[in-house]
Amino acid sequence: MKIFSTHHRAVGFGYLAISAVAVGVGVLLSLAMRAHLAWPDWPLPLHGPILPEEYLALVTMHGTLMLFFVLTVAPQSGFGNLILPAQIGARRMAFPRINAASMWLTALALLVLLAAFFVPGGGPIGGWTAYPPLSESALAGPGQGAGMDCWLASIAIFGIASTMSAVNTLTTIVKLPCEGMTWQRLPLTVWGWFTAALLSVIAFSVLLAALLLLFCDRHLHSSFFLPSGDVINGVLLQHGGNGSPLLWLHLFWFFGHPEVYIAILPGMGLTSMVIANFARRRVFAYKLMIATTLLIGLLGILVWGHHMFVAGLNPFAGTVFSISSLAIALPASAKVLSWLATLWRSRPRMTTAMLFALGFVSLFITGGLSGPILAQPILDEYLHNTFFVVAHFHLIMAMAGVFGLFCATYYWFPLLFGRMLSERLGKVHFWGTLLGAYATFLPMHLTGLAGEPRHYARLNGLAGPGTTLLEATQPLQVHITVAAIFLALAQIPFLLNLLRAWRSSERAAPNPWVATTLEWAPESEELAVVYREPCVYSESGEEFLAQWKSEAAINSEAE
Amino acid sequence: MPITLTPPEIDRRHRTGEGDGGGRKPPTDKRTGGNGEGDNWSDRPQGRRGPRERLAQARVGLFFALGGDLMFFVALVSVFFVTKSSGHFDPYGRYIYEWLPTAIPKILWINTAVLLLSSFTAELARRSMFREHDAMEEWIGFGRPLSRRAGIWLSATLLLGTLFLAGQWTAWDQLAAQHVFFRSNPSSHFFYLITVTHAVHLLLGLGGLMVALALLRASRSMATRQVLVDATVWYWHVMGVLWLFLFALLEYGQ
Amino acid sequence: MLSAPTAERFWHLPVDAARHGPAMDAHLLLNLWIALGLIALAHLILLCGLAWRRVKAPGLKPDPSVSIQQGPEGPFSLPVSGSNGESPQLRSLLLLEILPLAVLTILFAGLGARSEQLWAAQRYTGANPAAMQVEVTGAQFVWTFRYPGADAAFGETKPMLIAPAAGNSLGIDFTDPHAADDIVTSQLVLPAGREVDLTLRSLDVIHGFAVPEMRLKQNAVPGQTSHIHFTPETPGEYAILCTQVCGTGHYRMQAVMRVLPADEFDEWLRMRELRR
């Protein structure tokens, strides 16, 4: 395939390659972070002991890489480009050249971000949220000069690329479905991509505005986010005007909260479809699932203040955002109930894809139920910016999201490559990853409850009650680190599996999972036509009605 | 030999235009992709790659892209209102409210009129791309009435758009002459921020107009020409309406 | 330091030394146990649903009006409304979705209402006018505390007067008469049993003022002041941590809150005032 191909398959694989690089780097960064927390004096090989600014740079880059380049790119743009056209019966995405351009822009953004490690001063240290005034001025810390500029440029490019990609996805879904594919017959994966793309279009522009304003503050001496009389590192910053750091928080979190829903919505759609496929059942309450997908998207725009309960907002605002945040638990619970009802007493076929979908359900439940706790301001007053929050979002977003990606890989591998991944290696991979995920992130709830704050480069070494409090978590820190190393090593069977499939010559059957959705239809020159909604299986699960089979065809087959 | 059989040499001459439905073809302008573009239009499967579908897809894509762009300006305008209404306590304990509205240079009124006029010419260009009789003639290959007329109006739009940007630049020069720069005070932050970001969007619109003009001459596909002009002009209109709102904000909202 | 009660020790909660603490802890523990219970219940349903033998899917009934026949009565059950499968579908939807959602709504509404009650009690109203005033200032990377002294008024501070090397890390303007009796310390010393109103400020970047053992947290944002009030109950030494990343020294921006019995505190304050 040529390098600048505009075919959606090439673009999709390009996006997955970007995510693969990002996840590899992100995992290495997280292992360095965890090793440093468990054994603070351990020197990183070829580098030496990790300094506080280096630790903070690790944290910042880990979050940025994983959230933007893995969880926003791979489920939505990666698998979306590969599978969406086939699932709706289209031959292409709506704007192939814009699609390819956005993929290359994303690759550029990744390069610019990784360059932050190598510029003078090193990587930025403000976390992926980059609150000003810490991000306002190079005086605030190492890495806040050129490193922060790299971060700003990278995320700005990424935002533009994501918006372009989302416009492409939306136009494809609105305009290119084949004959017979009504809105109610769209698979839930497509609804997930649709809602996530809508959120992208709305949210990334606001982030772009915020980045522009921060850029102006940093380089053009404006004061959108800088209060007057701010003294950083002994220097009175005089930018003429009185801004508010809270303004950044509002703008950033207006983007930041829909961002996490963008990361998880495609995975939720896929889980519904995969569970129905392997349980050989209809999705329970299909229309309700469509409604909850849209409702989660809508409510996701209204809850951003729950990141700011103790940030200096009016306490009444805290109450308002608390209500909307608790409300979003309801459509999410409705989805969990549908998954449970779909698979209830169905003796599903336990392929690796199904296992990862079940793992998604489990992690979504466990990670999700710490959400309502954090949504209550009086409790968030204690838990804000502790490792309880870290545990929450890692379980529900990082782990569940990644399980969605693994599910997609195992499920669609035969379609994309014509070969099967080994089920045995897959199951080893699944159990290792599931156990590793829980072993790593469940104890983080406890260290957070014990009071461990985020972004701490060290938990020991000082005198005073603070260190006594934090050092008490040390056994758990070591446990978490060991579990994280195990979790990373548990991915080796997956890599071996990919390698084995690449070198094997056994071809897969055309529809090995007995799926009903359109991407599994046999290749044909004729235009696709859809006759029914997806996941129509007989009561016993033995027969199935694919979306693309007309009644006449089925009746003639039966004879 | 019956006299009704076509002799081979004449038959060969007729066969050079396959798919024309037989019979002699009218002289065609190959540059415009005439002759119905040779794309088997009578045999096209329904609802796939036709001009109407391409136009609809382009409009939907533009709609979503402009929606995102709108959110960008919504964010800027929200920051404007928040900053406008906030003051602070200075070290002496006095409440300082430093919002000094920036006086709008009068040339902005002229610029607004110019932009409205350019929307008018742009719409003329757009509508002329869809006049059925001319479209049919151009598509078959009888000259280029459509592209010529649209090209004239597009050029006018391009000229007026450039005038607008020149006018904006003049306005910035006039403010700089009065020592009102971007960093002077909060309201000047916004004046420059809003006018510059709008100008950047308009510059992109000018680029689109130039591409449309170029492809009116170079593109072989009628549908491409129509879609491009249509999309560029809609974008132009939205930028015009946006300017009206932003101008009103700067003039009356400070 | 006192040891935490058993439930709190299971959840690794540290000691609780503030007056509002026990109510908050009780609500937190309630939430945690409910969350744990719901997680266990959901997983139980998941595992049972996977393990038990296959039965007809909930909400379906064979629909003989479907023309696709693969067996005598047509195996494809369609929960299409209008067919005679309507009431089982609606019944199963009510039972499996609406009812649990209603229960969860009531549960979350109840927990939310109780939490708003606690939040309002702590935050909606300001401190008691008789509360003790202390100012907390965060700067990279140290917490500094200031007491107003006998005149019960803080002196003015100006950013251009900040000179840590000269001993004036807060930028106090000593020409202000109110500044003469201000007491600046690096430890937050408080009397047990008396409500205290903290004024939080920051000189440079956003810091997070947190005292886990008092169940307190509030960001100190430059350019604005925040207030939180609480009543420390149990004497002891407690950790003050910074919980909003503020630079390389974020992890060591710690301080000590010393809560003394009332008479010892009076003694301490008197000694400090004399020293001024």
Side-chain angles (χ1 to χ4, degrees):
Chain A
M1 83 180 48
K2 53 190 206 334
I3 286 288
F4 293 107
S5 164
T6 57
H7 192 273
H8 58 89
R9 189 183 155 107
V11 173
F13 282 128
Y15 272 118
L16 287 184
I18 292 171
S19 291
V21 170
V23 84
V25 176
V27 166
L28 288 175
L29 297 180
S30 69
L31 289 177
M33 281 156 58
R34 279 313 322 173
H36 181 71
L37 279 181
W39 308 291
D41 300 310
W42 172 76
L44 193 63
L46 302 174
H47 179 271
I50 299 178
L51 302 173
E53 58 268 28
E54 291 166 346
Y55 180 83
L56 288 177
L58 290 178
V59 173
T60 305
M61 299 293 272
H62 167 81
T64 309
L65 280 168
M66 295 303 214
L67 195 45
F68 285 111
F69 291 92
V70 180
L71 288 173
T72 312
V73 164
Q76 178 76 5
S77 309
F79 282 104
N81 269 296
L82 288 173
I83 306 290
L84 172 66
Q87 262 199 354
I88 60 174
R91 290 220 190 277
R92 58 179 179 86
M93 299 287 274
F95 305 117
R97 274 172 297 206
I98 294 181
N99 202 15
S102 63
M103 189 268 285
W104 288 107
L105 275 180
T106 309
L108 176 67
L110 180 63
L111 286 175
V112 172
L113 183 70
L114 291 175
F117 277 126
F118 303 105
V119 295
I125 61 173
W128 85 287
T129 54
Y131 285 2
L134 182 60
S135 54
E136 282 271 322
S137 156
L139 294 166
Q144 294 302 83
M148 189 69 212
D149 285 330
C150 283
W151 189 91
L152 272 178
S154 165
I155 302 304
I157 299 171
F158 183 89
I160 294 173
S162 278
T163 309
M164 285 159 64
S165 173
V167 167
N168 196 11
T169 306
L170 286 168
T171 311
T172 308
I173 296 176
V174 169
K175 276 292 169 188
L176 291 186
C178 64
E179 183 187 337
M181 182 62 88
T182 62
W183 286 99
Q184 281 106 318
R185 289 181 183 166
L186 280 177
L188 287 172
T189 31
V190 179
W191 278 106
W193 285 319
F194 177 73
T195 314
L198 272 179
L199 288 177
S200 292
V201 159
I202 294 173
F204 272 102
S205 302
V206 175
L207 177 68
L208 207 59
L211 293 172
L212 178 64
L213 296 177
L214 187 59
F215 173 84
C216 289
D217 268 14
R218 285 171 61 84
H219 296 288
L220 300 178
H221 292 284
S222 59
S223 57
F224 294 109
F225 306 122
L226 192 70
S228 61
D230 208 56
V231 177
I232 297 184
N233 215 348
V235 174
L236 179 65
L237 294 178
Q238 288 174 318
H239 282 198
N242 184 51
S244 167
L246 278 189
L247 197 54
W248 168 270
L249 268 78
H250 278 292
L251 287 172
F252 182 84
W253 285 117
F254 185 85
F255 152 77
H257 200 84
E259 161 75 350
V260 309
Y261 288 108
I262 293 167
I264 204 68
L265 278 167
M268 294 203 283
L270 179 68
T271 300
S272 283
M273 303 305 288
V274 167
I275 287 181
N277 190 164
F278 290 109
R280 298 179 311 285
R281 288 260 187 88
R282 295 174 168 278
V283 174
F284 185 80
Y286 199 82
K287 291 210 182 67
L288 185 64
M289 286 299 99
I290 296 176
T292 52
T293 308
L294 293 170
L295 196 55
I296 290 175
L298 176 66
L299 281 175
I301 304 176
L302 302 177
V303 298
W304 80 90
H306 67 230
H307 302 271
M308 302 163 63
F309 283 143
V310 294
L313 286 184
N314 187 323
F316 298 110
T319 303
V320 168
F321 281 113
S322 168
I323 294 173
S324 57
S325 303
L326 284 171
I328 209 169
L330 296 170
S333 307
K335 282 198 171 293
V336 173
L337 291 166
S338 164
W339 296 329
L340 293 176
T342 304
L343 57 80
W344 177 257
R345 298 192 73 167
S346 63
R347 293 304 303 203
R349 186 175 156 202
M350 291 298 214
T351 58
T352 310
M354 178 62 169
L355 286 173
F356 273 104
L358 293 172
F360 182 100
V361 174
S362 165
L363 290 161
F364 190 79
I365 293 171
T366 311
L369 280 170
S370 51
I373 300 180
L374 292 165
Q376 298 170 56
I378 190 71
L379 300 178
D380 188 63
E381 183 177 8
Y382 182 67
L383 296 170
H384 173 72
N385 265 4
T386 62
F387 262 71
F388 192 88
V389 180
V390 177
H392 165 73
F393 65 69
H394 273 94
L395 279 177
I396 194 173
M397 184 175 64
M399 286 296 103
V402 159
F403 269 58
L405 289 174
F406 283 134
C407 176
T409 307
Y410 283 96
Y411 185 66
W412 281 316
F413 200 85
L415 185 69
L416 294 170
F417 300 108
R419 301 193 178 92
M420 304 287 283
L421 284 172
S422 151
E423 281 294 309
R424 193 176 325 148
L425 276 175
K427 289 181 165 92
V428 171
H429 175 217
F430 167 73
W431 287 110
T433 311
L434 186 71
L435 290 171
Y438 275 122
T440 309
F441 296 110
L442 281 182
M444 275 189 193
H445 292 98
L446 300 177
T447 62
L449 285 166
E452 183 196 354
R454 293 171 69 175
H455 304 119
Y456 265 37
R458 282 182 86 103
L459 298 172
N460 66 350
L462 303 170
T467 304
T468 317
L469 191 72
L470 297 176
E471 270 182 346
T473 65
Q474 189 60 15
L476 280 175
Q477 301 297 340
V478 175
H479 169 97
I480 294 171
T481 301
V482 170
I485 296 173
F486 172 77
L487 179 59
L489 292 175
Q491 307 314 305
I492 293 180
F494 177 64
L495 298 171
L496 291 177
N497 207 347
L498 290 174
L499 203 63
R500 185 195 145 278
W502 180 47
R503 293 164 61 194
S504 100
S505 51
E506 271 180 56
R507 310 300 298 183
N511 185 0
W513 310 129
V514 185
T516 55
T517 41
L518 200 52
E519 75 267 26
W520 297 101
E523 285 212 28
S524 123
E525 281 306 311
E526 293 172 7
L527 294 173
V529 183
V530 160
Y531 298 95
R532 63 191 61 81
E533 62 271 33
C535 306
V536 178
Y537 290 95
S538 69
E539 223 176 278
S540 61
E542 296 305 311
E543 293 89 17
F544 72 109
L545 290 180
Q547 277 193 295
W548 63 88
K549 287 235 173 81
S550 68
E551 295 194 8
I554 294 181
N555 284 337
S556 64
E557 271 174 29
E559 278 140 26
Chain B
M1 213 194 291
I3 52 173
T4 51
L5 268 178
T6 317
E9 59 277 16
I10 296 173
D11 201 33
R12 233 177 290 126
R13 221 187 318 142
H14 284 172
R15 207 166 287 153
T16 51
E18 291 291 21
D20 63 349
R24 248 171 247 211
K25 300 179 331 236
T28 59
D29 183 346
K30 289 281 182 293
R31 283 174 305 144
T32 63
N35 190 32
E37 297 170 355
D39 65 351
N40 206 19
W41 59 270
S42 61
D43 212 2
R44 185 193 305 282
Q46 51 129 14
R48 294 285 89 197
R49 304 169 299 125
R52 184 166 301 160
E53 288 76 24
R54 282 182 57 190
L55 186 66
Q57 286 168 30
R59 283 180 174 174
V60 166
L62 191 65
F63 170 76
F64 284 121
L66 286 172
D69 205 25
L70 183 71
M71 285 308 294
F72 175 80
F73 283 101
V74 162
L76 287 185
V77 170
S78 311
V79 175
F80 172 86
F81 280 118
V82 167
T83 309
K84 176 185 162 200
S85 57
S86 57
H88 72 285
F89 287 97
D90 75 350
Y92 300 91
R94 295 182 300 222
Y95 185 70
I96 303 288
Y97 177 65
E98 315 183 291
W99 184 264
L100 305 163
T102 303
I104 311 297
K106 291 297 172 219
I107 194 174
L108 283 190
W109 286 96
I110 303 175
N111 290 346
T112 307
V114 164
L115 196 62
L116 283 178
L117 191 61
S118 76
S119 256
F120 184 64
T121 56
E123 182 65 11
L124 285 174
R126 192 184 74 82
R127 284 182 191 229
S128 70
M129 286 302 290
F130 293 105
R131 289 163 70 129
E132 217 172 304
H133 182 257
D134 293 348
M136 205 60 198
E137 288 205 351
E138 180 160 333
W139 188 68
I140 292 173
F142 286 150
R144 323 185 52 203
L146 215 65
S147 300
R148 205 175 312 120
R149 183 176 291 127
I152 294 172
W153 289 117
L154 276 185
S155 305
T157 312
L158 189 63
L159 181 66
L160 290 170
T162 314
L163 267 178
F164 175 86
L165 285 180
Q168 295 289 79
W169 189 278
T170 310
W172 297 327
D173 270 347
Q174 287 179 351
L175 278 180
Q178 295 169 32
H179 298 287
V180 179
F181 303 101
F182 172 78
R183 70 178 97 90
S184 303
N185 65 68
S187 76
S188 76
H189 290 343
F190 281 101
F191 181 85
Y192 279 95
L193 191 67
I194 286 176
T195 49
V196 168
T197 47
H198 179 265
V200 168
H201 280 80
L202 216 66
L203 202 61
L204 291 173
L206 281 183
L209 282 173
M210 286 194 266
V211 168
L213 269 172
L215 285 178
L216 272 180
R217 298 193 70 75
S219 163
R220 302 244 181 114
S221 161
M222 182 76 189
T224 303
R225 300 199 289 273
Q226 287 177 317
V227 165
L228 210 51
V229 173
D230 187 77
T232 311
V233 169
W234 275 115
Y235 176 84
W236 194 262
H237 288 329
V238 171
M239 288 302 126
V241 169
L242 182 65
W243 171 252
L244 283 179
F245 172 76
L246 293 174
F247 178 59
L249 184 75
L250 289 173
E251 179 69 33
Y252 301 111
Q254 286 200 60
Chain C
M1 216 166 337
L2 305 172
S3 69
T6 321
E8 297 181 353
R9 229 182 296 147
F10 173 83
W11 290 108
H12 286 66
L13 284 172
V15 110
D16 186 353
R19 184 170 295 174
H20 70 273
M24 196 216 91
D25 274 4
H27 190 61
L28 178 60
L29 290 170
L30 178 67
N31 272 276
L32 288 168
W33 286 119
I34 290 177
L36 198 61
L38 284 175
I39 292 171
L41 177 65
H43 279 86
L44 190 65
I45 297 174
L46 181 66
L47 292 170
C48 292
L50 290 170
W52 293 348
R53 67 180 177 84
R54 188 181 174 98
V55 297
K56 180 167 70 73
L60 300 176
K61 151 183 166 109
D63 183 0
S65 69
V66 173
S67 62
I68 302 145
Q69 302 288 337
Q70 295 236 335
E73 56 270 314
F76 291 97
S77 321
L78 301 164
V80 179
S81 64
S83 70
N84 44 1
E86 191 143 79
S87 54
Q89 183 219 353
L90 192 59
R91 196 176 343 120
S92 72
L93 189 73
L94 279 170
L95 206 62
L96 295 174
E97 285 272 359
I98 310 294
L99 186 62
L101 283 178
V103 170
L104 284 172
T105 308
I106 295 172
L107 177 68
F108 289 138
L111 291 173
R114 173 69 184 147
S115 82
E116 294 307 324
Q117 213 180 13
L118 293 169
W119 178 248
Q122 224 216 346
R123 296 284 184 128
Y124 275 18
T125 50
N128 190 322
M132 194 174 101
Q133 297 286 332
V134 184
E135 184 194 72
V136 177
T137 305
Q140 282 178 330
F141 298 102
V142 64
W143 293 107
T144 314
F145 308 99
R146 184 158 67 129
Y147 297 79
D151 65 351
F154 294 107
E156 291 291 343
T157 55
K158 297 196 172 94
M160 45 286 255
L161 297 176
I162 292 175
N168 189 2
S169 55
L170 298 180
I172 299 176
D173 181 3
F174 286 106
T175 63
D176 181 4
H178 291 299
D181 60 353
D182 285 357
I183 301 165
V184 177
T185 65
S186 62
Q187 278 194 348
L188 182 56
V189 185
L190 297 174
R194 185 173 166 200
E195 185 173 328
V196 57
D197 180 23
L198 296 177
T199 308
L200 297 174
R201 288 176 47 214
S202 164
L203 298 181
D204 42 28
V205 300
I206 303 181
H207 298 279
F209 178 79
V211 192
E213 288 151 313
M214 294 282 171
R215 308 295 192 261
L216 276 182
K217 188 171 296 166
Q218 177 67 29
N219 278 6
V221 181
Q224 64 187 71
T225 54
S226 317
H227 282 263
I228 46 170
H229 58 97
F230 69 106
T231 309
E233 289 282 17
T234 318
E237 290 202 347
Y238 305 107
I240 298 174
L241 304 171
C242 178
T243 52
Q244 177 55 48
V245 61
C246 55
T248 50
H250 171 59
Y251 72 99
R252 52 181 165 80
M253 188 167 166
Q254 296 178 20
V256 179
M257 175 189 286
R258 254 171 65 209
V259 178
L260 300 171
D263 47 349
E264 282 182 41
F265 175 78
D266 291 338
E267 181 62 30
W268 174 88
L269 193 58
R270 204 171 52 80
M271 295 302 297
R272 295 306 298 260
E273 282 172 352
L274 281 178
R275 230 182 291 163
R276 280 214 66 76

